[in-house]
Amino acid sequence: MFSGCETVLHSRRFFVSCLQLHPHRLYTSVSIAIPPSITLSSSSSSCCPQRSSSLSPHHHILSSGPLYHSLNSFSSSYFLSSCHRPIHSSFSRRPYHSLSSSIFSSHYSPLPSSSSSREPHPSLLLRHSFSSSSCSAGAMDLKEVLDILEQLAPLSLAESWDNVGLLVEPSKPRPIKTILLTNDLTLPVMEEAEAIGCDLIVSYHPPLFRPMKRLVQRDWKQRLAVRAVEGGMAVFSPHTSWDSAKGGLNDWLIGGVGSGSVSVLSQAQCSAPQRQKLEFTVKNQEQLDAIMAELKETPNINTLQYTTVRLESDGFHASVVCGGSVLPSCVQVLLGHAAVGPSMRITQLQQSPLIGCGQGRLCHLSEPVTVATAVQRMKAHLGLPHLRLALGHQKTTESLVSSVAVCAGSGASVLQGVKADLYITGEMSHHEVLDAVATGTSVILSDHSNSERGFLAVVRERLTVRLPDSITVAISKTDRDPLEVV
C-alpha cells in the first residue's frame, strides 16, 4: 500500500507524505519511529513524481527492506477509515480530473480491525499529523468544508448543463458549525435551517438553476436565496457529480437490488483540456530539427510531446500533441515550412474515460431474483411503503431478473435502449414506460426524489468521519418528495 510514497528523513523518523498520488483522494501524514537497524534508500521512483515538502528539502523513497514490507501489509484504509478528523494535504492538486477515484468509493470502507494482516509492525509508532490549524482547534472555515465535499465527488464529474458547486456565499465568513443535508431546498427546509442555526446547506438539487435578473419576494426560489444571504448561510449543490462519482448515488441505488458485476451506462470522460495531434512528413533530419526547434518556441507551450519515425524511403514522419489553445500557432509554424507541404494532418484525441464514473449503472446479478423480490428489496432500501411497477411484456412478478439498470431521478434518457430485465428510476413518462415494457423490460418507479434521498444518510456518515467532532451534520426532517400515495 505504501509503494510509491514520498518520505522525508528527519531525526530517525520519516514522514509518509501521501498514500497514493491520486488527485481526488484524501491524503494524510503519519510519523513513524524507525528502529535503528533499518535504513532508508534514496533511490528515485519513476512512478512517483517528486513533490515539495515543508518538512525538509531532502526526499527519500522507501523501496525495500523489512520496514517496507511491514508497511505494505498495513492497509491504507486504516488512515482513511479510523480517523475522525479531516485529512488535509499540502500538495497542489491537478487542475483537472484525471483519475476515476473518489472517496465515495467502496475502496475506503472500513476493514475489520481484528484481521491480523492489518496490524501494524510492533516497532512502529503511528500518529496522525494535520496541516490545518483550524482543524486542530475543532473548527473549519467554508473553504475547508468545500474542499472535503469536492473530494467526496469532484464537481468536474457533473453534467455540462448542471449548476453545481457553491451557489450562495456569505459576505462575512464564519466558522462552519452546523451543516444541513437536504435533497431539495424548500421553504420548510429553510425554516428548519434557520431554527438550528445552520451555517451551510448542502442541497442535492440546485435551488438556483436558471439565470435570475432580480431577487424579489414573489418568486419562492428567489425568496430562498434572499433568506440564505440575510441569514449568512452558504448553499452548496453537488447534484450530478454525486450521481456520477464512483461509490456515489447510482452505485448506492443499484446496491439495493443485490450484488453482481456493475458497469457504467454513460461513461464520464476526463475533463482535461482537449488535445490534438499534428502529423507531417519531411525529407531529412535538418528540416525536422528546424521545425521542432520553432515549435518549441511557440508561446504558451510548456512541454512539447512528439514522436518521430524514420521512413523506409527517405524522410521522417513526426507526430506532435498540443492543446487546443496553441493549435493555431503550431499550425502556422508548419504552414511556414514548404517542406511540410500537403502532408500535414490534424486529429482530435479522444478524452480518456474515468473508470467507474458516469451516469447510470447496469448490474448483472450474481444470483437472479424474482421481480417481486426486487420490489421488496427496493422498498426496504429506499424506506418506502409503496413503489410503482410496470411488468414487461409477457412477464409476471415471479419472472426472474438477472440484469438491472438504474438511474437516480429522471432516468429515461440514460436508460433508453439499455438491455436489462428491470429498470429502476424515480420517474419516466407514460410513453417511455410503454417503450420499455414493449421490449420485455419491467420498470420500478419510486418518484423522483425518493430515488435519491436515502443517499443523504451515506453522505452524512462519510462527512462525519472527516470533520471535527464540533461540527454537526444533520439531515433535514422536513425534506420530502412533493408527491405521495393517498
Side-chain angles (χ1 to χ4, degrees), residues 46-283:
S46 60
C47 66
C48 176
Q50 294 294 329
R51 300 183 181 222
S52 60
S53 169
S54 60
L55 298 174
S56 169
H58 306 291
H59 292 74
H60 298 264
I61 304 300
L62 180 64
S63 59
S64 61
L67 181 59
Y68 168 80
H69 294 295
S70 297
L71 291 174
N72 202 36
S73 66
F74 186 55
S75 171
S76 61
S77 64
Y78 168 83
F79 304 104
L80 296 175
S81 302
S82 64
C83 62
H84 293 280
R85 291 180 179 274
I87 303 171
H88 299 278
S89 170
S90 61
F91 301 148
S92 60
R93 292 192 290 111
R94 298 175 186 173
Y96 56 83
H97 187 83
S98 62
L99 292 176
S100 65
S101 59
S102 74
I103 56 175
F104 272 164
S105 173
S106 58
H107 175 82
Y108 296 101
S109 300
L111 297 174
S113 58
S114 60
S115 174
S116 59
S117 63
R118 304 298 179 188
E119 291 299 318
H121 191 282
S123 64
L124 302 181
L125 177 65
L126 287 82
R127 69 165 183 249
H128 291 287
S129 172
F130 301 97
S131 62
S132 171
S133 58
S134 62
C135 172
S136 61
M140 299 183 76
D141 61 28
L142 177 61
K143 182 180 182 303
E144 290 174 307
V145 176
L146 294 181
D147 284 344
I148 291 179
L149 287 167
E150 168 75 9
Q151 291 164 341
L152 282 173
L155 295 177
S156 60
L157 291 175
E159 296 297 298
S160 58
W161 50 261
D162 208 353
N163 187 37
V164 296
L166 185 62
L167 305 184
V168 176
E169 181 178 11
S171 59
K172 296 181 180 179
R174 66 185 187 189
I176 302 298
K177 298 179 181 178
T178 303
I179 300 172
L180 183 65
L181 305 179
T182 183
N183 205 78
D184 295 285
L185 180 53
T186 59
L187 294 173
V189 173
M190 176 58 75
E191 292 173 357
E192 181 183 2
E194 293 169 338
I196 65 175
C198 180
D199 303 299
L200 171 62
I201 300 173
V202 177
S203 175
Y204 168 74
H205 286 136
L208 305 178
F209 191 79
R210 296 179 178 86
M212 293 183 180
K213 294 184 177 181
R214 57 182 58 85
L215 291 174
V216 295
Q217 291 299 305
R218 67 171 176 265
D219 180 272
W220 72 275
K221 288 190 174 181
Q222 294 174 27
R223 291 202 302 272
L224 290 176
V226 170
R227 288 173 68 169
V229 171
E230 291 176 339
M233 288 179 284
V235 179
F236 175 90
S237 175
H239 201 203
T240 53
S241 67
W242 279 10
D243 298 350
S244 181
K246 184 177 181 180
L249 173 52
N250 278 307
D251 282 314
W252 168 83
L253 181 61
I254 203 165
V257 184
S259 60
S261 175
V262 179
S263 59
V264 177
L265 292 179
S266 179
Q267 180 67 58
Q269 304 294 321
C270 175
S271 59
Q274 187 65 56
R275 300 185 304 162
Q276 286 81 23
K277 181 171 66 173
L278 291 173
E279 297 179 274
F280 60 93
T281 58
V282 292
K283 292 182 178 180

Side-chain angles (χ1 to χ4, degrees), residues 272-335:
Q274 187 65 56
R275 300 185 304 162
Q276 286 81 23
K277 181 171 66 173
L278 291 173
E279 297 179 274
F280 60 93
T281 58
V282 292
K283 292 182 178 180
N284 54 56
Q285 184 73 51
E286 183 180 355
Q287 293 173 344
L288 178 63
D289 291 342
I291 292 173
M292 298 311 300
E294 192 170 345
L295 283 174
K296 291 177 182 178
E297 297 300 322
T298 303
N300 301 321
I301 283 191
N302 297 323
T303 58
L304 187 65
Q305 299 179 1
Y306 66 95
T307 58
T308 59
V309 178
R310 190 181 186 94
L311 303 176
E312 291 184 2
S313 58
D314 290 341
F316 293 86
H317 178 83
S319 297
V320 178
V321 176
C322 62
S325 61
V326 298
L327 177 63
S329 300
C330 292
V331 170
Q332 287 299 320
V333 169
L334 295 179
L335 291 177

